[in-house]
Amino acid sequence: MERTMMNQIIPGTGVKVQGFVERVRSTGAMAFLVLRDRMGKVQVTIEKAAHPEFAEDLNRLTPESVVTVEGRAVSNPQVRLNGLEILPERLTVESLAAPLPLNKDAAVDTRMDYRWLELRGEKERLLFEVQTCLVNAMREFLIERDFLEIHTPKLIAAASESGADVFEVKYFDRKAYLAQSPQFYKQMAMAAGFERIFETGPVFRAEKSFTNRHATEFSGFDLEFSYIESFEDVMRLEAELLAYSLEQVARTYGEAIERQYGVNVIVPQLPFPQIALKDLYTELERRYGYTLPESEKGDMTTEAEQLSYRFSKEEFGHEFLFITDFAAEKRAFYHMRKNGVPQGYDLIWRGVEITTGAQREHRYDVLCRQADERGLGEDVKFYTEFFRYGCPPHGGFGLGIDRMSMLLTGVTIKDAMFLFRGPNRLTP
RNA sequence: GGCCCGGUAGUACAGUUGGUUAGUACGCCAGCCUGUCACGCUGGAGGUCAGGGGUUCGAGCCCCCUCCGGGUCGCCA
């Protein structure tokens, strides 16, 4: 018999349902099971006297066990759960669950230890439905515009950016590193003449960051494209991409997100507002009295990020804010500079950085000079080689998928990831 | 890595000035209950008080060390 999903049950028909036992209740003459599958829940009602054959299973059945029930679905207004119940003819216990090691009150660390149990919840599942929708919309948008999806190596011979904060791994008789960004390979694709590419995949950072928004392994969404005229082309594409994707999310899951997480999905208006870093600091000081020593104004602080959300809402009625004109020494050596100013940006959404983007330096001699300034000459020689044999002007950005999910639902990074990895968390 | 806070049944917590047998809720087990739906009622099991050392007649409680976790900042996506 075909399995029926629990939101597809038609009263008056015979059904087979399979799922977890959410609750077992046994009163004098009756027993009730509430079953759950990925689509919904249904009550199974058993009149004990009429079905002595179920007695043994009912007695041993525990919450979160997995069962198959075949029987007849009937309408019954007495039942609070959708006015529907199944009167079983067969009951098969597929898997018996031991008592759960946690309950609703469990602390984060305990929940992480048994993450798969927590993920059984409808609310937790929703986050991954939303993430699937978001990433799918981003793919759709880019493929429509002739972008190729590529997959770059995560095992690499040398650190991809600074040389610090990479995980070292044993690679036969030598050392390798886990890719801390697909940056160099995205640009290699530009030198390969692919013109437009994106990639979504794991990113590894050996940083001992203890915040609610950092992980040592997370999913990045990276994109790079050629023949741009300035980094503003990159910003424009990203804004369009996000507006499109969030529109898909809002349409499909807006209500569910509001119901489960109490967060409203707002489809952003185009264009996204934009401000130079030093102007932002001026505004933050004028409006909120936030001050910082001049020497620290080349970069964003956490508090400035948070305040910039308030500023963007007040000034532009917008949740997003592009910030440009960072200090050159705070940005990667491969960002193109014009009059010493990096041709790149950060994108802040709801007070959290979700993206860094830039026009890249594609001129071999300039790139080598900028690398040398950081003392990276030899370390990045394999990379600068990409630009020796002709390379179009190009730019791109990297976006944190988990941070998107996190902000979309208002949870922390630990709750937004399938499995969190941090300095102190390597299991399960 | 800096600063702050914490670690007590399976889970979440309480534990008075250092004093006899370490409690509460949920969960678990057994029994009762003709339709429950946060069911209800009765009874029961369950503790290396993170680990080690010290002070004391006596330590869950005070001191030191170690481990683990949380918050926050820095770093970033």
Side-chain angles (χ1 to χ4, degrees):
Chain A
M1 189 178 186
E2 281 286 298
R3 179 178 175 216
T4 302
M5 298 310 292
M6 291 176 196
N7 62 337
Q8 299 289 320
I9 295 168
I10 298 163
T13 62
V15 293
K16 176 169 99 173
V17 294
Q18 298 183 291
F20 290 96
V21 175
E22 184 148 302
R23 190 162 296 147
V24 190
R25 264 190 305 272
S26 184
T27 67
M30 305 292 291
F32 307 91
L33 308 177
V34 174
L35 305 189
R36 177 189 75 239
D37 65 19
R38 65 178 205 276
M39 303 304 287
K41 297 174 189 179
V42 73
Q43 174 172 297
V44 175
T45 306
I46 297 156
E47 200 175 337
K48 290 178 178 176
H51 292 285
E53 74 275 19
F54 294 153
E56 194 187 323
D57 280 341
L58 279 178
N59 189 47
R60 66 190 181 120
L61 209 49
T62 52
E64 296 302 308
S65 292
V66 176
V67 297
T68 300
V69 169
E70 289 177 63
R72 187 159 187 81
V74 297
S75 286
N76 183 347
Q78 248 177 313
V79 182
R80 206 163 293 169
L81 186 62
N82 300 326
L84 184 70
E85 63 186 352
I86 293 175
L87 308 176
E89 280 137 29
R90 287 176 64 181
L91 169 68
T92 311
V93 179
E94 308 288 357
S95 167
L96 269 184
L100 296 197
L102 75 177
N103 59 29
K104 289 282 180 223
D105 304 325
V108 192
D109 204 47
T110 309
R111 293 192 288 108
M112 291 297 122
D113 284 342
Y114 297 97
R115 178 68 169 155
W116 70 94
L117 299 179
E118 184 179 35
L119 289 172
R120 289 178 185 176
E122 190 186 350
K123 179 175 176 177
E124 285 72 20
R125 182 189 169 77
L126 173 64
L127 190 143
F128 294 92
E129 290 173 354
V130 168
Q131 190 176 86
T132 300
C133 174
L134 178 80
V135 174
N136 183 52
M138 288 170 48
R139 269 212 178 83
E140 228 172 67
F141 179 93
L142 293 169
I143 291 170
E144 179 70 22
R145 283 159 185 76
D146 289 334
F147 277 74
L148 297 181
E149 180 167 7
I150 65 168
H151 300 283
T152 63
K154 303 307 159 201
L155 273 172
I156 60 178
S160 41
E161 288 190 30
S162 58
D165 60 33
V166 291
F167 289 106
E168 189 180 298
V169 297
K170 226 179 104 191
Y171 195 75
F172 305 111
D173 55 353
R174 55 186 169 139
K175 287 174 187 170
Y177 303 90
L178 295 179
Q180 163 238 34
S181 150
Q183 186 58 39
F184 291 172
Y185 296 116
K186 285 196 298 176
Q187 293 188 254
M188 183 199 253
M190 298 302 98
F194 279 23
E195 294 194 14
R196 302 173 153 230
I197 61 101
F198 71 96
E199 167 170 22
T200 177
V203 176
F204 305 90
R205 303 275 165 94
E207 292 160 352
K208 288 194 174 175
S209 295
F210 297 95
T211 73
N212 56 20
R213 61 187 188 283
H214 286 84
T216 50
E217 176 179 354
F218 61 93
S219 296
F221 194 100
D222 274 85
L223 168 167
E224 204 75 22
F225 62 117
S226 290
Y227 301 109
I228 62 171
E229 291 181 357
S230 101
F231 70 100
E232 306 231 353
D233 294 338
V234 182
M235 289 163 61
R236 200 172 311 118
L237 181 79
E238 177 167 15
E240 285 171 14
L241 171 73
L242 289 173
Y244 173 81
S245 306
L246 288 174
E247 192 183 339
Q248 307 307 307
V249 169
R251 193 166 52 203
T252 316
Y253 293 107
E255 261 176 52
I257 293 171
E258 173 80 48
R259 190 175 62 245
Q260 295 281 6
Y261 290 95
V263 178
N264 191 11
V265 181
I266 295 168
V267 180
Q269 295 296 307
L270 292 170
F272 288 12
Q274 168 181 347
I275 191 169
L277 185 59
K278 77 168 169 7
D279 296 337
L280 177 66
Y281 275 121
T282 304
E283 288 292 338
L284 296 187
E285 178 160 4
R286 191 171 66 79
R287 291 170 187 242
Y288 318 122
Y290 180 68
T291 56
L292 209 61
E294 279 306 314
S295 60
E296 290 172 38
K297 287 187 178 172
D299 204 356
M300 289 286 279
T301 62
T302 298
E303 197 177 354
E305 282 181 7
Q306 289 159 359
L307 287 173
S308 75
Y309 177 34
R310 189 171 154 197
F311 164 72
S312 194
K313 276 192 301 188
E314 286 177 11
E315 179 67 20
F316 307 109
H318 212 282
E319 294 189 329
F320 288 85
L321 184 64
F322 280 124
I323 299 170
T324 64
D325 298 78
F326 285 81
E329 66 273 16
K330 297 289 184 186
R331 308 302 269 186
F333 74 91
Y334 51 80
H335 285 198
M336 182 179 276
R337 297 172 202 164
K338 203 171 266 177
N339 303 320
V341 179
Q343 300 297 290
Y345 66 91
D346 275 3
L347 178 59
I348 311 287
W349 183 31
R350 294 179 173 170
V352 176
E353 178 184 341
I354 57 165
T355 288
T356 295
Q359 174 162 15
R360 321 301 186 184
E361 183 51 72
H362 63 286
R363 295 163 296 184
Y364 178 70
D365 50 335
V366 180
L367 183 62
C368 289
R369 203 182 317 135
Q370 291 183 178
D372 284 342
E373 277 169 22
R374 299 278 169 92
L376 294 170
E378 278 308 300
D379 298 339
V380 296
K381 193 165 186 307
F382 82 99
Y383 164 70
T384 52
E385 282 285 291
F386 303 165
F387 305 90
R388 272 186 77 188
Y389 309 101
C391 184
H394 63 277
F397 62 82
L399 176 147
I401 296 288
D402 312 284
R403 281 202 180 164
M404 288 291 292
S405 308
M406 169 184 122
L407 294 168
L408 216 31
T409 53
V411 301
T412 69
I413 195 80
K414 289 178 182 174
D415 287 303
M417 297 184 72
F418 180 69
L419 283 174
F420 171 76
R421 284 287 179 268
N424 295 324
R425 171 61 68 173
L426 208 45
T427 55

